[in-house]
Amino acid sequence: SNSEEAATKLKDIIAASSQFSDSSDSGRNLIFSYIDAAAITRQDATVEATKSKRASAFKAWKSFLHSIDFTRSLYLDGFDTFQKNIIMSAFAHAVRIGAFSSRRNEHLVEGTVNTTVSYVAQ
């Protein structure tokens, strides 16, 4: 992963750096273990954040379908591609205006709308 590659690169820089030339092996090993742990923590946090965003997106999708009294199919079975695109556009608009947000008076930015729709469309 990018995080692991960055950690490896940073460890190489530290190992070659004159800034750490006075450090003992145990001191360098300790900083290396902290760098590795930080990389793992960042990766785990990213995975958890993604899971949370996916769950929120799907919750918004189910709320949207419920709000339009459509409970027959979560996956729009029976609709053609054009019809699905129109429904997803309506969903995107509902997300944009904050219909499923706790801060309903704020319009959401394009990135949030795009991410939410993308998670549902996958």
Side-chain angles (χ1 to χ4, degrees), residues 6-121:
T8 299
K9 203 177 268 189
L10 183 58
K11 289 192 300 187
D12 290 344
I13 290 169
I14 288 172
S17 170
S18 62
Q19 300 295 331
F20 284 88
S21 61
D22 294 337
S23 294
S24 64
D25 287 344
S26 64
R28 276 191 299 280
N29 289 339
L30 184 58
I31 189 72
F32 293 161
S33 77
Y34 288 151
I35 291 168
D36 289 338
I40 291 167
T41 301
R42 273 192 309 277
Q43 186 174 344
D44 290 348
T46 301
V47 168
E48 286 305 313
T50 300
K51 284 182 188 176
S52 177
K53 287 178 184 178
R54 283 184 197 277
S56 293
F58 201 67
K59 181 179 177 186
W61 174 245
K62 291 193 301 188
S63 294
F64 169 74
L65 292 176
H66 182 72
S67 73
I68 62 170
D69 294 326
F70 185 81
T71 56
R72 195 170 29 153
S73 169
L74 285 174
Y75 305 103
L76 304 180
D77 297 329
F79 288 95
D80 65 29
T81 301
F82 177 77
Q83 292 167 326
K84 288 178 181 179
N85 285 338
I86 296 300
I87 293 169
M88 290 302 287
S89 293
F91 173 62
H93 179 72
V95 170
R96 187 177 303 109
I97 64 170
F100 313 108
S101 173
S102 58
R103 296 173 277 160
R104 291 182 182 244
N105 59 342
E106 294 181 30
H107 283 83
L108 299 179
V109 296
E110 181 271 336
T112 302
V113 175
N114 185 32
T115 298
T116 302
V117 172
S118 293
Y119 283 148
V120 170

